[in-house]
Amino acid sequence: QQPVQSPQAVILREGEDAVINCSSSKALYSVHWYRQKHGEAPVFLMILLKGGEQKGHEKISASFNEKKQQSSLYLTASQLSYSGTYFCGTETNDYKLSFGAGTTVTVRA
Amino acid sequence: DVKVTQSSRYLVKRTGEKVFLECVQDMDHENMFWYRQDPGLGLRLIYFSYDVKMKEKGDIPEGYSVSREKKERFSLILESASTNQTSMYLCASRTPGLGGYTFGSGTRLTVV
């Protein structure tokens, strides 16, 4: 079953912050985050393992709440290069990675 | 860096044709995957493979099959193409040790 992502879309000005949420009804082993720019393949950003960790990648960080089966991606001080569609992928113990429908982020100057 | 290569960027096929989509990775990864991507639906898992000659159904396997005769190559087969299989198809391989997925650039398949 696919995880649920919210919001579907967000528009930011450079320097603003945003949060993208991802939730699953299943017990999760890990959560992945990817970014896809128009016409390109999705690119891996980070993976979070169960245990409730938090990770960072430049000014993009994420958290994983294992008890709630939820993850959040934080875009801090957004840059034009952050524009794209962000997907969370949730992995259960059968090693299947299911993706959400995506969140389209538009950063404007 | 891992490179995942999909043989065709665009394909147009007729209804009822047998279609082969090829994917090759260059890092000896064991785990490989086929997804289809449709607007508003994200990426949906069709099939995946843990190793040569091993395959597992994903969430939407109906109408598809796969072949993995060599570790580096994972093929998706549409036995009898239908118009509802018009989509972007993405292949991926996984870095061992709980690593991320590396995707190919995709094949946009149109079935007419």
Side-chain angles (χ1 to χ4, degrees), chain A residues 2 29 32 34 36 39 41-42 44 47 87 91 94 96-101, chain B residues 9 35 37 40-44 48 50 59 90 94 98-101 103-104:
Chain A
Q2 290 182 276
Y29 183 75
H32 296 218
Y34 293 77
Q36 184 178 31
F44 173 69
I47 181 173
F87 293 97
E91 183 178 21
D94 59 3
K96 287 168 55 174
L97 190 67
S98 297
F99 286 91
Chain B
R9 188 79 173 103
Y35 288 86
Q37 183 173 23
L41 296 178
L43 290 81
R44 292 179 291 166
F48 60 108
Y50 292 132
D59 298 322
L90 291 164
R94 184 171 195 177
L98 298 175
Y101 287 30
F103 284 88

PDB file of all heavy atoms in Angstrom, chain A residues 2 29 32 34 36 39 41-42 44 47 87 91 94 96-101, chain B residues 9 35 37 40-44 48 50 59 90 94 98-101 103-104:
ATOM      1  N   GLN A   2       0.516   2.203  -0.858  1.00  0.00           N
ATOM      2  CA  GLN A   2       1.339   3.397  -0.998  1.00  0.00           C
ATOM      3  C   GLN A   2       1.203   4.312   0.204  1.00  0.00           C
ATOM      4  O   GLN A   2       0.106   4.494   0.745  1.00  0.00           O
ATOM      5  CB  GLN A   2       0.930   4.174  -2.254  1.00  0.00           C
ATOM      6  CG  GLN A   2       1.294   3.471  -3.562  1.00  0.00           C
ATOM      7  CD  GLN A   2       0.913   4.305  -4.765  1.00  0.00           C
ATOM      8  OE1 GLN A   2      -0.223   4.272  -5.217  1.00  0.00           O
ATOM      9  NE2 GLN A   2       1.872   5.049  -5.282  1.00  0.00           N
ATOM     10  N   TYR A  29      10.222  -0.432   8.028  1.00  0.00           N
ATOM     11  CA  TYR A  29      11.618  -0.743   8.296  1.00  0.00           C
ATOM     12  C   TYR A  29      12.501   0.469   7.999  1.00  0.00           C
ATOM     13  O   TYR A  29      13.471   0.728   8.691  1.00  0.00           O
ATOM     14  CB  TYR A  29      12.030  -1.931   7.435  1.00  0.00           C
ATOM     15  CG  TYR A  29      13.429  -2.392   7.673  1.00  0.00           C
ATOM     16  CD1 TYR A  29      13.759  -3.122   8.816  1.00  0.00           C
ATOM     17  CD2 TYR A  29      14.443  -2.096   6.765  1.00  0.00           C
ATOM     18  CE1 TYR A  29      15.044  -3.536   9.045  1.00  0.00           C
ATOM     19  CE2 TYR A  29      15.730  -2.518   6.990  1.00  0.00           C
ATOM     20  CZ  TYR A  29      16.027  -3.245   8.125  1.00  0.00           C
ATOM     21  OH  TYR A  29      17.312  -3.651   8.345  1.00  0.00           O
ATOM     22  N   HIS A  32      12.684   6.259   2.661  1.00  0.00           N
ATOM     23  CA  HIS A  32      13.590   6.910   1.700  1.00  0.00           C
ATOM     24  C   HIS A  32      12.963   8.225   1.253  1.00  0.00           C
ATOM     25  O   HIS A  32      11.737   8.354   1.199  1.00  0.00           O
ATOM     26  CB  HIS A  32      13.761   6.060   0.438  1.00  0.00           C
ATOM     27  CG  HIS A  32      14.404   4.737   0.611  1.00  0.00           C
ATOM     28  ND1 HIS A  32      15.278   4.229  -0.320  1.00  0.00           N
ATOM     29  CD2 HIS A  32      14.310   3.809   1.587  1.00  0.00           C
ATOM     30  CE1 HIS A  32      15.685   3.040   0.071  1.00  0.00           C
ATOM     31  NE2 HIS A  32      15.115   2.763   1.216  1.00  0.00           N
ATOM     32  N   TYR A  34      13.404  10.976  -2.140  1.00  0.00           N
ATOM     33  CA  TYR A  34      13.967  11.204  -3.466  1.00  0.00           C
ATOM     34  C   TYR A  34      13.444  12.531  -4.003  1.00  0.00           C
ATOM     35  O   TYR A  34      12.352  12.972  -3.652  1.00  0.00           O
ATOM     36  CB  TYR A  34      13.566  10.079  -4.436  1.00  0.00           C
ATOM     37  CG  TYR A  34      14.159   8.744  -4.094  1.00  0.00           C
ATOM     38  CD1 TYR A  34      13.628   7.976  -3.059  1.00  0.00           C
ATOM     39  CD2 TYR A  34      15.264   8.246  -4.784  1.00  0.00           C
ATOM     40  CE1 TYR A  34      14.185   6.758  -2.720  1.00  0.00           C
ATOM     41  CE2 TYR A  34      15.827   7.029  -4.450  1.00  0.00           C
ATOM     42  CZ  TYR A  34      15.289   6.293  -3.412  1.00  0.00           C
ATOM     43  OH  TYR A  34      15.847   5.080  -3.079  1.00  0.00           O
ATOM     44  N   GLN A  36      12.858  14.458  -7.816  1.00  0.00           N
ATOM     45  CA  GLN A  36      12.848  14.288  -9.268  1.00  0.00           C
ATOM     46  C   GLN A  36      12.611  15.639  -9.931  1.00  0.00           C
ATOM     47  O   GLN A  36      11.603  16.306  -9.672  1.00  0.00           O
ATOM     48  CB  GLN A  36      11.746  13.299  -9.681  1.00  0.00           C
ATOM     49  CG  GLN A  36      11.729  12.994 -11.163  1.00  0.00           C
ATOM     50  CD  GLN A  36      10.647  11.974 -11.521  1.00  0.00           C
ATOM     51  OE1 GLN A  36       9.595  11.910 -10.891  1.00  0.00           O
ATOM     52  NE2 GLN A  36      10.906  11.156 -12.537  1.00  0.00           N
ATOM     53  N   GLY A  39      11.579  15.771 -16.275  1.00  0.00           N
ATOM     54  CA  GLY A  39      12.257  15.082 -17.367  1.00  0.00           C
ATOM     55  C   GLY A  39      13.460  14.254 -16.945  1.00  0.00           C
ATOM     56  O   GLY A  39      14.159  13.703 -17.801  1.00  0.00           O
ATOM     57  N   ALA A  41      15.357  11.398 -13.933  1.00  0.00           N
ATOM     58  CA  ALA A  41      15.070  10.285 -13.026  1.00  0.00           C
ATOM     59  C   ALA A  41      15.053  10.768 -11.586  1.00  0.00           C
ATOM     60  O   ALA A  41      15.717  11.759 -11.247  1.00  0.00           O
ATOM     61  CB  ALA A  41      16.139   9.208 -13.196  1.00  0.00           C
ATOM     62  N   PRO A  42      14.329  10.095 -10.713  1.00  0.00           N
ATOM     63  CA  PRO A  42      14.399  10.430  -9.293  1.00  0.00           C
ATOM     64  C   PRO A  42      15.819  10.224  -8.765  1.00  0.00           C
ATOM     65  O   PRO A  42      16.509   9.288  -9.166  1.00  0.00           O
ATOM     66  CB  PRO A  42      13.437   9.432  -8.639  1.00  0.00           C
ATOM     67  CG  PRO A  42      12.540   8.980  -9.736  1.00  0.00           C
ATOM     68  CD  PRO A  42      13.372   9.014 -10.971  1.00  0.00           C
ATOM     69  N   PHE A  44      18.192   9.870  -5.268  1.00  0.00           N
ATOM     70  CA  PHE A  44      18.161   9.522  -3.856  1.00  0.00           C
ATOM     71  C   PHE A  44      18.709  10.666  -3.005  1.00  0.00           C
ATOM     72  O   PHE A  44      19.774  11.219  -3.288  1.00  0.00           O
ATOM     73  CB  PHE A  44      19.022   8.268  -3.650  1.00  0.00           C
ATOM     74  CG  PHE A  44      19.243   7.862  -2.222  1.00  0.00           C
ATOM     75  CD1 PHE A  44      18.201   7.371  -1.471  1.00  0.00           C
ATOM     76  CD2 PHE A  44      20.502   7.951  -1.648  1.00  0.00           C
ATOM     77  CE1 PHE A  44      18.404   6.975  -0.160  1.00  0.00           C
ATOM     78  CE2 PHE A  44      20.716   7.555  -0.345  1.00  0.00           C
ATOM     79  CZ  PHE A  44      19.673   7.066   0.408  1.00  0.00           C
ATOM     80  N   ILE A  47      18.104   8.021   3.450  1.00  0.00           N
ATOM     81  CA  ILE A  47      17.321   6.916   4.003  1.00  0.00           C
ATOM     82  C   ILE A  47      17.328   7.033   5.514  1.00  0.00           C
ATOM     83  O   ILE A  47      18.349   7.399   6.117  1.00  0.00           O
ATOM     84  CB  ILE A  47      17.881   5.544   3.547  1.00  0.00           C
ATOM     85  CG1 ILE A  47      17.047   4.390   4.106  1.00  0.00           C
ATOM     86  CG2 ILE A  47      19.335   5.387   3.959  1.00  0.00           C
ATOM     87  CD1 ILE A  47      17.451   3.020   3.552  1.00  0.00           C
ATOM     88  N   PHE A  87       9.509  12.605  -3.470  1.00  0.00           N
ATOM     89  CA  PHE A  87       8.795  11.363  -3.183  1.00  0.00           C
ATOM     90  C   PHE A  87       9.343  10.730  -1.912  1.00  0.00           C
ATOM     91  O   PHE A  87      10.567  10.658  -1.727  1.00  0.00           O
ATOM     92  CB  PHE A  87       8.991  10.345  -4.314  1.00  0.00           C
ATOM     93  CG  PHE A  87       8.365  10.726  -5.614  1.00  0.00           C
ATOM     94  CD1 PHE A  87       9.123  11.328  -6.613  1.00  0.00           C
ATOM     95  CD2 PHE A  87       7.027  10.469  -5.859  1.00  0.00           C
ATOM     96  CE1 PHE A  87       8.551  11.677  -7.822  1.00  0.00           C
ATOM     97  CE2 PHE A  87       6.452  10.810  -7.066  1.00  0.00           C
ATOM     98  CZ  PHE A  87       7.213  11.426  -8.051  1.00  0.00           C
ATOM     99  N   GLU A  91       9.544   1.386   3.230  1.00  0.00           N
ATOM    100  CA  GLU A  91      10.001   0.000   3.085  1.00  0.00           C
ATOM    101  C   GLU A  91       9.539  -0.818   4.279  1.00  0.00           C
ATOM    102  O   GLU A  91       9.785  -0.441   5.421  1.00  0.00           O
ATOM    103  CB  GLU A  91      11.527  -0.032   2.994  1.00  0.00           C
ATOM    104  CG  GLU A  91      12.115  -1.414   2.775  1.00  0.00           C
ATOM    105  CD  GLU A  91      13.631  -1.370   2.655  1.00  0.00           C
ATOM    106  OE1 GLU A  91      14.244  -0.394   3.127  1.00  0.00           O
ATOM    107  OE2 GLU A  91      14.195  -2.323   2.092  1.00  0.00           O
ATOM    108  N   ASP A  94       9.489  -6.830   3.966  1.00  0.00           N
ATOM    109  CA  ASP A  94       9.659  -7.653   2.766  1.00  0.00           C
ATOM    110  C   ASP A  94      10.514  -6.943   1.717  1.00  0.00           C
ATOM    111  O   ASP A  94      10.594  -7.382   0.579  1.00  0.00           O
ATOM    112  CB  ASP A  94       8.303  -8.030   2.173  1.00  0.00           C
ATOM    113  CG  ASP A  94       7.465  -6.814   1.803  1.00  0.00           C
ATOM    114  OD1 ASP A  94       7.944  -5.672   1.947  1.00  0.00           O
ATOM    115  OD2 ASP A  94       6.318  -7.014   1.361  1.00  0.00           O
ATOM    116  N   LYS A  96      10.118  -4.373   0.037  1.00  0.00           N
ATOM    117  CA  LYS A  96       9.456  -3.678  -1.064  1.00  0.00           C
ATOM    118  C   LYS A  96       9.394  -2.198  -0.723  1.00  0.00           C
ATOM    119  O   LYS A  96       8.995  -1.823   0.372  1.00  0.00           O
ATOM    120  CB  LYS A  96       8.031  -4.215  -1.252  1.00  0.00           C
ATOM    121  CG  LYS A  96       7.973  -5.588  -1.854  1.00  0.00           C
ATOM    122  CD  LYS A  96       6.585  -6.203  -1.751  1.00  0.00           C
ATOM    123  CE  LYS A  96       5.509  -5.356  -2.345  1.00  0.00           C
ATOM    124  NZ  LYS A  96       4.203  -6.054  -2.364  1.00  0.00           N
ATOM    125  N   LEU A  97       9.801  -1.365  -1.667  1.00  0.00           N
ATOM    126  CA  LEU A  97       9.757   0.077  -1.456  1.00  0.00           C
ATOM    127  C   LEU A  97       8.569   0.629  -2.216  1.00  0.00           C
ATOM    128  O   LEU A  97       8.529   0.561  -3.446  1.00  0.00           O
ATOM    129  CB  LEU A  97      11.058   0.716  -1.938  1.00  0.00           C
ATOM    130  CG  LEU A  97      11.246   2.182  -1.569  1.00  0.00           C
ATOM    131  CD1 LEU A  97      11.418   2.338  -0.061  1.00  0.00           C
ATOM    132  CD2 LEU A  97      12.457   2.774  -2.281  1.00  0.00           C
ATOM    133  N   SER A  98       7.605   1.183  -1.469  1.00  0.00           N
ATOM    134  CA  SER A  98       6.417   1.767  -2.079  1.00  0.00           C
ATOM    135  C   SER A  98       6.511   3.280  -1.973  1.00  0.00           C
ATOM    136  O   SER A  98       6.842   3.826  -0.924  1.00  0.00           O
ATOM    137  CB  SER A  98       5.148   1.285  -1.360  1.00  0.00           C
ATOM    138  OG  SER A  98       5.007  -0.108  -1.507  1.00  0.00           O
ATOM    139  N   PHE A  99       6.187   3.965  -3.072  1.00  0.00           N
ATOM    140  CA  PHE A  99       6.326   5.415  -3.117  1.00  0.00           C
ATOM    141  C   PHE A  99       4.986   6.121  -2.965  1.00  0.00           C
ATOM    142  O   PHE A  99       3.945   5.624  -3.410  1.00  0.00           O
ATOM    143  CB  PHE A  99       6.952   5.840  -4.448  1.00  0.00           C
ATOM    144  CG  PHE A  99       8.414   5.548  -4.545  1.00  0.00           C
ATOM    145  CD1 PHE A  99       8.862   4.339  -5.067  1.00  0.00           C
ATOM    146  CD2 PHE A  99       9.355   6.467  -4.103  1.00  0.00           C
ATOM    147  CE1 PHE A  99      10.218   4.067  -5.151  1.00  0.00           C
ATOM    148  CE2 PHE A  99      10.713   6.202  -4.185  1.00  0.00           C
ATOM    149  CZ  PHE A  99      11.147   5.003  -4.703  1.00  0.00           C
ATOM    150  N   GLY A 100       5.048   7.304  -2.380  1.00  0.00           N
ATOM    151  CA  GLY A 100       3.885   8.172  -2.342  1.00  0.00           C
ATOM    152  C   GLY A 100       3.673   8.828  -3.696  1.00  0.00           C
ATOM    153  O   GLY A 100       4.485   8.684  -4.613  1.00  0.00           O
ATOM    154  N   ALA A 101       2.588   9.603  -3.794  1.00  0.00           N
ATOM    155  CA  ALA A 101       2.240  10.237  -5.072  1.00  0.00           C
ATOM    156  C   ALA A 101       3.117  11.443  -5.390  1.00  0.00           C
ATOM    157  O   ALA A 101       3.111  11.925  -6.514  1.00  0.00           O
ATOM    158  CB  ALA A 101       0.770  10.648  -5.064  1.00  0.00           C
TER     159      ALA A 101
ATOM    160  N   ARG B   9      14.629   5.360 -24.778  1.00  0.00           N
ATOM    161  CA  ARG B   9      14.039   6.509 -24.089  1.00  0.00           C
ATOM    162  C   ARG B   9      12.561   6.634 -24.426  1.00  0.00           C
ATOM    163  O   ARG B   9      11.752   6.981 -23.571  1.00  0.00           O
ATOM    164  CB  ARG B   9      14.778   7.777 -24.503  1.00  0.00           C
ATOM    165  CG  ARG B   9      14.377   9.007 -23.712  1.00  0.00           C
ATOM    166  CD  ARG B   9      15.050   9.006 -22.354  1.00  0.00           C
ATOM    167  NE  ARG B   9      14.797  10.269 -21.646  1.00  0.00           N
ATOM    168  CZ  ARG B   9      13.913  10.393 -20.661  1.00  0.00           C
ATOM    169  NH1 ARG B   9      13.193   9.352 -20.266  1.00  0.00           N
ATOM    170  NH2 ARG B   9      13.735  11.549 -20.063  1.00  0.00           N
ATOM    171  N   TYR B  35       9.515  -0.021 -11.925  1.00  0.00           N
ATOM    172  CA  TYR B  35       8.377   0.797 -11.520  1.00  0.00           C
ATOM    173  C   TYR B  35       7.743   1.405 -12.768  1.00  0.00           C
ATOM    174  O   TYR B  35       8.408   1.599 -13.783  1.00  0.00           O
ATOM    175  CB  TYR B  35       8.829   1.952 -10.623  1.00  0.00           C
ATOM    176  CG  TYR B  35       9.243   1.558  -9.228  1.00  0.00           C
ATOM    177  CD1 TYR B  35      10.544   1.134  -8.958  1.00  0.00           C
ATOM    178  CD2 TYR B  35       8.344   1.625  -8.170  1.00  0.00           C
ATOM    179  CE1 TYR B  35      10.932   0.782  -7.670  1.00  0.00           C
ATOM    180  CE2 TYR B  35       8.724   1.272  -6.872  1.00  0.00           C
ATOM    181  CZ  TYR B  35      10.013   0.856  -6.641  1.00  0.00           C
ATOM    182  OH  TYR B  35      10.387   0.509  -5.353  1.00  0.00           O
ATOM    183  N   GLN B  37       5.537   5.000 -13.674  1.00  0.00           N
ATOM    184  CA  GLN B  37       5.220   6.296 -13.099  1.00  0.00           C
ATOM    185  C   GLN B  37       4.118   6.947 -13.905  1.00  0.00           C
ATOM    186  O   GLN B  37       4.258   7.136 -15.128  1.00  0.00           O
ATOM    187  CB  GLN B  37       6.451   7.205 -13.067  1.00  0.00           C
ATOM    188  CG  GLN B  37       6.186   8.547 -12.417  1.00  0.00           C
ATOM    189  CD  GLN B  37       7.439   9.368 -12.225  1.00  0.00           C
ATOM    190  OE1 GLN B  37       8.442   9.168 -12.909  1.00  0.00           O
ATOM    191  NE2 GLN B  37       7.400  10.299 -11.293  1.00  0.00           N
ATOM    192  N   GLY B  40       0.090  11.849 -10.804  1.00  0.00           N
ATOM    193  CA  GLY B  40      -0.820  11.764  -9.661  1.00  0.00           C
ATOM    194  C   GLY B  40      -0.761  10.462  -8.893  1.00  0.00           C
ATOM    195  O   GLY B  40      -1.345  10.354  -7.808  1.00  0.00           O
ATOM    196  N   LEU B  41      -0.053   9.480  -9.444  1.00  0.00           N
ATOM    197  CA  LEU B  41       0.012   8.167  -8.777  1.00  0.00           C
ATOM    198  C   LEU B  41       1.404   7.853  -8.250  1.00  0.00           C
ATOM    199  O   LEU B  41       1.596   6.852  -7.557  1.00  0.00           O
ATOM    200  CB  LEU B  41      -0.429   7.063  -9.737  1.00  0.00           C
ATOM    201  CG  LEU B  41      -1.873   7.128 -10.215  1.00  0.00           C
ATOM    202  CD1 LEU B  41      -2.156   6.002 -11.199  1.00  0.00           C
ATOM    203  CD2 LEU B  41      -2.846   7.061  -9.035  1.00  0.00           C
ATOM    204  N   GLY B  42       2.362   8.661  -8.592  1.00  0.00           N
ATOM    205  CA  GLY B  42       3.723   8.391  -8.140  1.00  0.00           C
ATOM    206  C   GLY B  42       4.314   7.202  -8.863  1.00  0.00           C
ATOM    207  O   GLY B  42       3.964   6.892  -9.998  1.00  0.00           O
ATOM    208  N   LEU B  43       5.231   6.519  -8.180  1.00  0.00           N
ATOM    209  CA  LEU B  43       5.880   5.341  -8.749  1.00  0.00           C
ATOM    210  C   LEU B  43       5.254   4.095  -8.123  1.00  0.00           C
ATOM    211  O   LEU B  43       5.137   3.994  -6.903  1.00  0.00           O
ATOM    212  CB  LEU B  43       7.375   5.338  -8.438  1.00  0.00           C
ATOM    213  CG  LEU B  43       8.232   6.377  -9.132  1.00  0.00           C
ATOM    214  CD1 LEU B  43       8.164   7.726  -8.444  1.00  0.00           C
ATOM    215  CD2 LEU B  43       9.685   5.903  -9.181  1.00  0.00           C
ATOM    216  N   ARG B  44       4.869   3.156  -8.976  1.00  0.00           N
ATOM    217  CA  ARG B  44       4.265   1.920  -8.476  1.00  0.00           C
ATOM    218  C   ARG B  44       5.144   0.735  -8.881  1.00  0.00           C
ATOM    219  O   ARG B  44       5.538   0.614 -10.038  1.00  0.00           O
ATOM    220  CB  ARG B  44       2.834   1.768  -9.014  1.00  0.00           C
ATOM    221  CG  ARG B  44       1.866   2.794  -8.445  1.00  0.00           C
ATOM    222  CD  ARG B  44       0.475   2.609  -9.024  1.00  0.00           C
ATOM    223  NE  ARG B  44       0.425   2.968 -10.422  1.00  0.00           N
ATOM    224  CZ  ARG B  44      -0.586   2.657 -11.240  1.00  0.00           C
ATOM    225  NH1 ARG B  44      -1.621   1.975 -10.777  1.00  0.00           N
ATOM    226  NH2 ARG B  44      -0.559   3.030 -12.505  1.00  0.00           N
ATOM    227  N   PHE B  48      10.332  -7.005  -8.750  1.00  0.00           N
ATOM    228  CA  PHE B  48      11.706  -6.800  -8.326  1.00  0.00           C
ATOM    229  C   PHE B  48      12.434  -8.137  -8.255  1.00  0.00           C
ATOM    230  O   PHE B  48      11.799  -9.200  -8.317  1.00  0.00           O
ATOM    231  CB  PHE B  48      11.791  -6.016  -7.020  1.00  0.00           C
ATOM    232  CG  PHE B  48      11.103  -6.660  -5.836  1.00  0.00           C
ATOM    233  CD1 PHE B  48      11.842  -7.213  -4.805  1.00  0.00           C
ATOM    234  CD2 PHE B  48       9.716  -6.651  -5.723  1.00  0.00           C
ATOM    235  CE1 PHE B  48      11.211  -7.758  -3.700  1.00  0.00           C
ATOM    236  CE2 PHE B  48       9.084  -7.200  -4.619  1.00  0.00           C
ATOM    237  CZ  PHE B  48       9.830  -7.762  -3.606  1.00  0.00           C
ATOM    238  N   TYR B  50      15.910 -10.181  -6.373  1.00  0.00           N
ATOM    239  CA  TYR B  50      17.004 -10.178  -5.397  1.00  0.00           C
ATOM    240  C   TYR B  50      18.308 -10.715  -5.983  1.00  0.00           C
ATOM    241  O   TYR B  50      19.380 -10.462  -5.445  1.00  0.00           O
ATOM    242  CB  TYR B  50      16.646 -11.061  -4.192  1.00  0.00           C
ATOM    243  CG  TYR B  50      15.523 -10.525  -3.349  1.00  0.00           C
ATOM    244  CD1 TYR B  50      14.472 -11.351  -2.970  1.00  0.00           C
ATOM    245  CD2 TYR B  50      15.519  -9.205  -2.927  1.00  0.00           C
ATOM    246  CE1 TYR B  50      13.444 -10.869  -2.186  1.00  0.00           C
ATOM    247  CE2 TYR B  50      14.493  -8.720  -2.143  1.00  0.00           C
ATOM    248  CZ  TYR B  50      13.459  -9.550  -1.774  1.00  0.00           C
ATOM    249  OH  TYR B  50      12.448  -9.079  -0.994  1.00  0.00           O
ATOM    250  N   ASP B  59       3.466  -4.465  -6.531  1.00  0.00           N
ATOM    251  CA  ASP B  59       2.073  -4.104  -6.241  1.00  0.00           C
ATOM    252  C   ASP B  59       1.150  -4.205  -7.454  1.00  0.00           C
ATOM    253  O   ASP B  59      -0.058  -4.386  -7.306  1.00  0.00           O
ATOM    254  CB  ASP B  59       2.016  -2.681  -5.675  1.00  0.00           C
ATOM    255  CG  ASP B  59       2.773  -2.568  -4.368  1.00  0.00           C
ATOM    256  OD1 ASP B  59       2.708  -3.519  -3.565  1.00  0.00           O
ATOM    257  OD2 ASP B  59       3.457  -1.543  -4.153  1.00  0.00           O
ATOM    258  N   LEU B  90      10.415   2.985 -15.151  1.00  0.00           N
ATOM    259  CA  LEU B  90      11.698   3.277 -14.514  1.00  0.00           C
ATOM    260  C   LEU B  90      12.282   2.016 -13.912  1.00  0.00           C
ATOM    261  O   LEU B  90      11.612   1.290 -13.181  1.00  0.00           O
ATOM    262  CB  LEU B  90      11.518   4.323 -13.413  1.00  0.00           C
ATOM    263  CG  LEU B  90      11.175   5.733 -13.873  1.00  0.00           C
ATOM    264  CD1 LEU B  90      10.656   6.555 -12.706  1.00  0.00           C
ATOM    265  CD2 LEU B  90      12.393   6.414 -14.472  1.00  0.00           C
ATOM    266  N   ARG B  94      19.639  -1.212  -6.322  1.00  0.00           N
ATOM    267  CA  ARG B  94      19.855  -0.746  -4.953  1.00  0.00           C
ATOM    268  C   ARG B  94      21.283  -0.990  -4.501  1.00  0.00           C
ATOM    269  O   ARG B  94      21.812  -2.105  -4.621  1.00  0.00           O
ATOM    270  CB  ARG B  94      18.912  -1.451  -3.990  1.00  0.00           C
ATOM    271  CG  ARG B  94      19.047  -0.912  -2.567  1.00  0.00           C
ATOM    272  CD  ARG B  94      18.000  -1.429  -1.640  1.00  0.00           C
ATOM    273  NE  ARG B  94      17.988  -0.611  -0.428  1.00  0.00           N
ATOM    274  CZ  ARG B  94      17.138  -0.764   0.565  1.00  0.00           C
ATOM    275  NH1 ARG B  94      16.221  -1.723   0.500  1.00  0.00           N
ATOM    276  NH2 ARG B  94      17.188   0.016   1.623  1.00  0.00           N
ATOM    277  N   LEU B  98      21.543  -1.535   2.693  1.00  0.00           N
ATOM    278  CA  LEU B  98      20.486  -0.559   2.965  1.00  0.00           C
ATOM    279  C   LEU B  98      20.766   0.793   2.309  1.00  0.00           C
ATOM    280  O   LEU B  98      20.502   1.853   2.890  1.00  0.00           O
ATOM    281  CB  LEU B  98      20.278  -0.392   4.471  1.00  0.00           C
ATOM    282  CG  LEU B  98      19.838  -1.654   5.212  1.00  0.00           C
ATOM    283  CD1 LEU B  98      19.775  -1.412   6.695  1.00  0.00           C
ATOM    284  CD2 LEU B  98      18.507  -2.141   4.682  1.00  0.00           C
ATOM    285  N   GLY B  99      21.322   0.758   1.141  1.00  0.00           N
ATOM    286  CA  GLY B  99      21.572   1.986   0.411  1.00  0.00           C
ATOM    287  C   GLY B  99      20.345   2.445  -0.347  1.00  0.00           C
ATOM    288  O   GLY B  99      19.282   1.819  -0.304  1.00  0.00           O
ATOM    289  N   GLY B 100      20.494   3.566  -1.029  1.00  0.00           N
ATOM    290  CA  GLY B 100      19.400   4.096  -1.818  1.00  0.00           C
ATOM    291  C   GLY B 100      19.309   3.433  -3.179  1.00  0.00           C
ATOM    292  O   GLY B 100      20.142   2.607  -3.549  1.00  0.00           O
ATOM    293  N   TYR B 101      18.269   3.805  -3.906  1.00  0.00           N
ATOM    294  CA  TYR B 101      18.058   3.294  -5.249  1.00  0.00           C
ATOM    295  C   TYR B 101      18.652   4.269  -6.261  1.00  0.00           C
ATOM    296  O   TYR B 101      18.539   5.485  -6.097  1.00  0.00           O
ATOM    297  CB  TYR B 101      16.558   3.191  -5.551  1.00  0.00           C
ATOM    298  CG  TYR B 101      15.810   2.078  -4.847  1.00  0.00           C
ATOM    299  CD1 TYR B 101      16.192   1.599  -3.602  1.00  0.00           C
ATOM    300  CD2 TYR B 101      14.684   1.509  -5.445  1.00  0.00           C
ATOM    301  CE1 TYR B 101      15.488   0.585  -2.974  1.00  0.00           C
ATOM    302  CE2 TYR B 101      13.968   0.501  -4.827  1.00  0.00           C
ATOM    303  CZ  TYR B 101      14.371   0.046  -3.590  1.00  0.00           C
ATOM    304  OH  TYR B 101      13.659  -0.959  -2.967  1.00  0.00           O
ATOM    305  N   PHE B 103      18.112   5.190 -10.178  1.00  0.00           N
ATOM    306  CA  PHE B 103      17.148   4.978 -11.247  1.00  0.00           C
ATOM    307  C   PHE B 103      17.788   5.215 -12.611  1.00  0.00           C
ATOM    308  O   PHE B 103      18.684   6.063 -12.764  1.00  0.00           O
ATOM    309  CB  PHE B 103      15.967   5.936 -11.099  1.00  0.00           C
ATOM    310  CG  PHE B 103      15.002   5.551 -10.006  1.00  0.00           C
ATOM    311  CD1 PHE B 103      15.210   5.989  -8.710  1.00  0.00           C
ATOM    312  CD2 PHE B 103      13.906   4.758 -10.281  1.00  0.00           C
ATOM    313  CE1 PHE B 103      14.333   5.634  -7.692  1.00  0.00           C
ATOM    314  CE2 PHE B 103      13.023   4.397  -9.275  1.00  0.00           C
ATOM    315  CZ  PHE B 103      13.237   4.842  -7.978  1.00  0.00           C
ATOM    316  N   GLY B 104      17.275   4.485 -13.596  1.00  0.00           N
ATOM    317  CA  GLY B 104      17.599   4.795 -14.973  1.00  0.00           C
ATOM    318  C   GLY B 104      16.802   6.010 -15.419  1.00  0.00           C
ATOM    319  O   GLY B 104      15.940   6.514 -14.689  1.00  0.00           O
TER     320      GLY B 104
END
